[in-house]
Amino acid sequence: MLSHVDNTAAVRAIVREAYVAGARRVSVHYADPHLRRAAVELGPDEMLGRSAPYLVDWYASWREEQPALISVHGDPEPELLADLDPERVARSEPVDLRTLTIGLVTERLVNWTIVAAPSAGWAQTVFGEPDVERLWDAVATAMRLDEPDPVGAWRDHCRTLRSRAAALNEHGFDTIRFRGPGTELTVGLLPGSLWVGAAATTRSGIEHVPNLPTEEVFTTPDWRRTSGVVRSTYPLAIGGTIVRDLEVRFEDGRAVGIEASSGVDVVRGQLQRDERAPFLGEIALVDGTSAVRKTGLVFSNTLYDENAACHIAYGSGLPFAVEGGGELGTDELVGAGINVSPVHTDFMVGSPEVDVDGLAADGTATPILRGDAWQL
Amino acid sequence: MLSHVDNTAAVRAIVREAYVAGARRVSVHYADPHLRRAAVELGPDEMLGRSAPYLVDWYASWREEQPALISVHGDPEPELLADLDPERVARSEPVDLRTLTIGLVTERLVNWTIVAAPSAGWAQTVFGEPDVERLWDAVATAMRLDEPDPVGAWRDHCRTLRSRAAALNEHGFDTIRFRGPGTELTVGLLPGSLWVGAAATTRSGIEHVPNLPTEEVFTTPDWRRTSGVVRSTYPLAIGGTIVRDLEVRFEDGRAVGIEASSGVDVVRGQLQRDERAPFLGEIALVDGTSAVRKTGLVFSNTLYDENAACHIAYGSGLPFAVEGGGELGTDELVGAGINVSPVHTDFMVGSPEVDVDGLAADGTATPILRGDAWQL
């Protein structure tokens, strides 16, 4: 397990359940973003972004060991690094560790999930006061814990997402178009792009829900075929900074113009991280029935906010979301239109005011979302 | 750095100072005793005491890398494991990791120190209420932080301890005798036993103070030559349990009778850990001028309490505290009278009512402590 150091209560509860479920060993690495802050502020330049070798070795060992991975997010201080040199912040990202986990995920070697645990700091960010109880209530809504049978509710919901994905796959759209205030964007899909959602299955056959909550159906687009402009509809918490009012212009797939009212340098830093970071790796559709949306809150936490609204991600694609993609080697993916990058950052572009259409190869448009309502 | 997961404030401050002092990388492992509790309660039997391989590898890498090691203690819940099966608690001790660190320390390969950070839970244990400010005040006294020049005060104090050690070495006592209520104990020294205190020096020449606070002068006795009975004068927090009113009887060096009003099974479990655990590895003298003693508190934390009173430790000896001991291989130590064990547990035996004498080979007694006052 990986967790922020402030989320001990949730971690301890999960560890106990893991043993009850038959785990032989539960190992937890508590990460502390203040240590990253110290390294950015005071550490030597050449060490930025170089994770401790013992952690790199540990992550690397998962390829062989194939453990179940649980990440407990819920950053109590999402703006912890916002006042630091953005260039050093960008370089301090643990890209070495992320590259290892992205490899495990794209090759479907491990069953994994990400959850978020309420903390005083996160509640402060959401409500302007550290009302943890209120945040737990919101999390209970978003996580369907307020249903009489939460597990049953999740199974039903996963069926809904799978039927949405099936409908999208049946249509076989060539392009997805977003139109709304400040947004006029087309995202070209691959002929083999597969819409997927809810549960995933490892190569060894273990079914798992990789994010909780999850409200999206998603696929990997052709990294060469995004163009237009898009205005983000939610703040975006990344790299210890909150990016607000993000606007991105794409040309021939590449993000070429980046503006924001705060945090723009962190996005620019990520996009400069490697040559493939500025291309899209994911497109995801979420409608207004989302349990996260029902809370009416902005969580400033991507796990939650990306499940309240349609979103796109620059950086790494998801090979399993492309027909035959899971069998391609890393060096074949880019040629097949599937992006490869150590970066993968989702940002929200959907809202009731943003229309989403599926376009056929001849340009015929089919409404997918209108006023947040699912149309297919 | 190693720290309890609740001690983030102290850890973060130390990490910043480490970078300011020129550290290239500061890695922190936050340990959470609740995970050990979960494993003892719910985990499989055969995994107890087997640390995660990535941690074992990390500890093992220090032999080559020789980093500076800082441990931040200050357990907020010293009785966390007290209600569990003592046999499983004893077997859940991370002996694999401790064996690696004991090796580094006895061979003087790394510079290291242990400090303790106040927390609400520790304050609750000390005062019966979570008064962290009051505990910080006590820690400031014990750590000489209330002196106008704390670093200068520590240098002076280290000189005092060194001169005490020199006086003891000059006397060349054969045996140390403790006499007080419930205590009549003789601890036989080795001809080469060296009294040391305060600062230590690594093989590579780095001087460091291995415990802060430190008020003791100590040596390694002959593991074969302890006999009599001893009554502990402080509670002893070990293995998630507080051992109270510990009484131990020694015959030919071996602890053969163990009684306590609480926690006795944890001590017995440790003594059964390996065949050499029941023999002494350390004897340490502390007088009433101790800054820890000045606080008048029982900290229920060995780092503090052992520096308020004379103490002895069963388990591993300290080869550097015996003439020529540092040059002996592990397999030669036992034959030379220096104990070797993965266990090393200090417990307090001194008080104003306990007289301490040094005995020459002919039995002549020289007072060392009377009413807690240093006599040499």
Side-chain angles (χ1 to χ4, degrees):
Chain A
M1 286 179 64
L2 305 171
S3 172
H4 187 288
V5 70
D6 279 359
N7 292 334
T8 49
V11 166
R12 291 166 183 175
I14 295 167
V15 167
R16 296 182 67 84
E17 291 301 322
Y19 279 122
V20 169
R24 280 172 57 76
R25 186 205 304 285
V26 188
S27 299
V28 178
H29 177 67
Y30 283 112
D32 183 352
H34 283 264
L35 310 186
R36 179 172 166 194
R37 181 180 170 97
V40 169
E41 269 190 271
L42 305 166
D45 203 70
E46 72 275 14
M47 298 302 282
L48 288 178
R50 290 174 59 186
S51 300
Y54 83 101
L55 286 180
V56 176
D57 292 345
W58 187 38
Y59 277 56
S61 74
W62 298 340
R63 181 165 281 271
E64 184 73 19
E65 196 192 344
Q66 304 188 357
L69 296 180
I70 300 173
S71 286
V72 182
H73 284 228
D75 191 344
E77 295 166 293
E79 298 194 84
L80 182 66
L81 310 179
D83 62 328
L84 303 182
D85 174 357
E87 190 270 332
R88 279 176 69 89
V89 171
R91 278 197 294 122
S92 72
E93 290 200 29
V95 170
D96 42 11
L97 300 181
R98 200 174 304 151
T99 301
L100 289 166
T101 48
I102 286 179
L104 296 172
V105 166
T106 56
E107 297 179 46
R108 299 189 298 125
L109 294 174
V110 295
N111 50 325
W112 58 281
T113 197
I114 304 175
V115 296
S119 61
W122 187 18
Q124 178 77 39
T125 304
V126 177
F127 303 122
E129 56 180 356
D131 189 342
V132 180
E133 280 307 305
R134 190 174 160 204
L135 184 54
W136 268 116
D137 286 344
V139 163
T141 300
M143 291 287 277
R144 295 181 164 75
L145 302 178
D146 53 0
E147 300 272 354
D149 171 15
V151 173
W154 273 104
R155 292 200 195 280
D156 289 348
H157 173 60
C158 287
R159 269 191 291 275
T160 303
L161 293 179
R162 275 198 295 268
S163 68
R164 273 187 203 169
L168 284 163
N169 287 327
E170 207 167 299
H171 277 278
F173 294 123
D174 173 73
T175 297
I176 303 296
R177 185 177 65 196
F178 297 90
R179 277 180 166 169
T183 289
E184 180 76 45
L185 186 79
T186 56
V187 179
L189 305 184
L190 293 161
S193 288
L194 284 174
W195 292 90
V196 290
T201 306
T202 66
R203 284 193 193 188
S204 62
I206 302 173
E207 198 181 11
H208 59 108
V209 179
N211 283 3
L212 282 168
T214 185
E215 299 284 343
E216 54 175 328
V217 289
F218 62 92
T219 189
T220 290
D222 185 336
W223 60 264
R224 299 160 292 209
R225 293 183 58 220
T226 299
S227 63
V229 293
V230 65
R231 180 181 293 173
S232 184
T233 50
Y234 277 75
L236 170 64
I238 48 168
T241 299
I242 294 185
V243 182
R244 294 184 174 86
D245 307 312
L246 177 65
E247 296 193 1
V248 185
R249 187 161 55 80
F250 287 89
E251 280 178 16
D252 299 328
R254 179 191 292 272
V256 291
I258 319 292
E259 301 298 337
S261 64
S262 77
V264 69
D265 288 327
V266 171
V267 177
R268 288 182 182 149
Q270 284 197 330
L271 293 174
Q272 285 160 16
R273 193 66 209 219
D274 81 330
E275 59 172 14
R276 309 224 51 77
F279 299 93
L280 288 196
E282 181 185 336
I283 174 172
L285 304 178
V286 177
D287 78 344
T289 67
S290 155
V292 181
R293 180 80 71 79
K294 274 186 198 162
T295 65
L297 296 171
V298 174
F299 287 93
S300 294
N301 174 294
T302 295
L303 175 63
Y304 274 66
D305 292 334
E306 76 166 3
N307 282 302
C310 294
H311 55 273
I312 55 181
Y314 54 81
S316 164
L318 308 157
F320 59 85
V322 179
E323 221 170 322
E327 279 73 56
L328 297 177
T330 305
D331 47 345
E332 301 167 302
L333 291 170
V334 172
I338 302 166
N339 201 30
V340 176
S341 170
V343 174
H344 180 98
T345 298
D346 300 271
F347 65 99
M348 286 56 78
V349 303
S351 87
E353 294 180 301
V354 177
D355 289 345
V356 183
D357 292 293
L359 307 184
D362 66 1
T364 316
T366 304
I368 300 174
L369 283 165
R370 286 290 181 276
D372 250 352
W374 194 260
Q375 304 292 313
L376 289 188
Chain B
M1 287 178 65
L2 305 171
S3 172
H4 187 286
V5 70
D6 279 358
N7 292 334
T8 49
V11 166
R12 290 166 183 175
I14 294 167
V15 167
R16 295 181 68 84
E17 291 302 321
Y19 279 123
V20 169
R24 281 171 56 76
R25 186 206 303 287
V26 188
S27 298
V28 178
H29 177 68
Y30 284 112
D32 183 352
H34 283 262
L35 310 186
R36 179 171 167 196
R37 182 180 169 96
V40 169
E41 269 190 90
L42 305 166
D45 202 70
E46 73 275 16
M47 299 301 281
L48 288 178
R50 290 174 58 186
S51 300
Y54 83 100
L55 287 180
V56 176
D57 291 346
W58 187 38
Y59 278 56
S61 74
W62 298 340
R63 180 164 280 271
E64 182 74 17
E65 197 190 344
Q66 303 188 359
L69 297 181
I70 301 173
S71 286
V72 183
H73 284 229
D75 191 343
E77 294 165 292
E79 299 194 82
L80 182 65
L81 310 180
D83 62 329
L84 303 183
D85 174 359
E87 191 271 332
R88 279 175 70 87
V89 170
R91 280 198 294 124
S92 73
E93 291 200 29
V95 170
D96 42 11
L97 301 180
R98 200 174 304 151
T99 301
L100 289 165
T101 48
I102 285 179
L104 296 172
V105 166
T106 56
E107 296 180 46
R108 299 189 298 125
L109 293 174
V110 295
N111 50 326
W112 59 281
T113 196
I114 304 176
V115 296
S119 61
W122 187 18
Q124 178 76 39
T125 304
V126 178
F127 303 121
E129 56 180 356
D131 190 341
V132 180
E133 279 310 305
R134 191 175 160 203
L135 184 55
W136 268 117
D137 287 344
V139 163
T141 299
M143 291 285 279
R144 296 181 163 75
L145 302 178
D146 54 0
E147 300 272 354
D149 171 15
V151 173
W154 273 103
R155 291 198 195 283
D156 289 348
H157 173 59
C158 287
R159 267 192 293 275
T160 303
L161 293 179
R162 275 196 298 268
S163 69
R164 276 189 200 168
L168 283 163
N169 287 328
E170 207 166 302
H171 278 277
F173 295 121
D174 172 75
T175 297
I176 303 297
R177 184 177 64 196
F178 297 91
R179 278 178 167 172
T183 290
E184 180 75 46
L185 187 78
T186 57
V187 179
L189 305 184
L190 292 161
S193 287
L194 284 173
W195 292 92
V196 292
T201 306
T202 66
R203 283 195 194 188
S204 63
I206 302 173
E207 197 181 12
H208 59 108
V209 179
N211 283 1
L212 283 168
T214 185
E215 299 284 344
E216 55 176 327
V217 288
F218 61 92
T219 190
T220 289
D222 185 336
W223 61 264
R224 300 161 291 210
R225 293 185 56 221
T226 299
S227 62
V229 293
V230 65
R231 180 180 292 175
S232 185
T233 51
Y234 277 75
L236 170 64
I238 48 166
T241 300
I242 295 184
V243 182
R244 295 184 173 87
D245 307 313
L246 178 65
E247 296 193 1
V248 184
R249 187 162 54 83
F250 288 88
E251 281 177 16
D252 299 329
R254 180 191 293 270
V256 291
I258 318 294
E259 302 298 336
S261 64
S262 77
V264 68
D265 288 327
V266 171
V267 176
R268 289 183 180 149
Q270 285 196 332
L271 293 175
Q272 286 160 18
R273 194 65 208 219
D274 81 331
E275 61 172 14
R276 308 224 52 77
F279 298 93
L280 287 196
E282 183 185 334
I283 173 172
L285 304 178
V286 177
D287 79 344
T289 68
S290 154
V292 181
R293 181 80 71 80
K294 272 186 200 164
T295 65
L297 296 171
V298 174
F299 287 92
S300 294
N301 174 295
T302 295
L303 176 63
Y304 274 66
D305 292 333
E306 75 166 0
N307 282 302
C310 295
H311 55 273
I312 55 181
Y314 55 81
S316 166
L318 307 158
F320 59 85
V322 179
E323 220 171 326
E327 279 72 55
L328 296 178
T330 305
D331 47 345
E332 301 167 302
L333 291 170
V334 173
I338 302 167
N339 201 28
V340 176
S341 170
V343 173
H344 180 99
T345 297
D346 300 271
F347 65 100
M348 286 57 78
V349 302
S351 87
E353 297 180 299
V354 176
D355 288 346
V356 183
D357 293 293
L359 307 184
D362 66 2
T364 317
T366 305
I368 300 175
L369 284 165
R370 285 291 180 272
D372 251 352
W374 195 259
Q375 304 292 316
L376 289 188

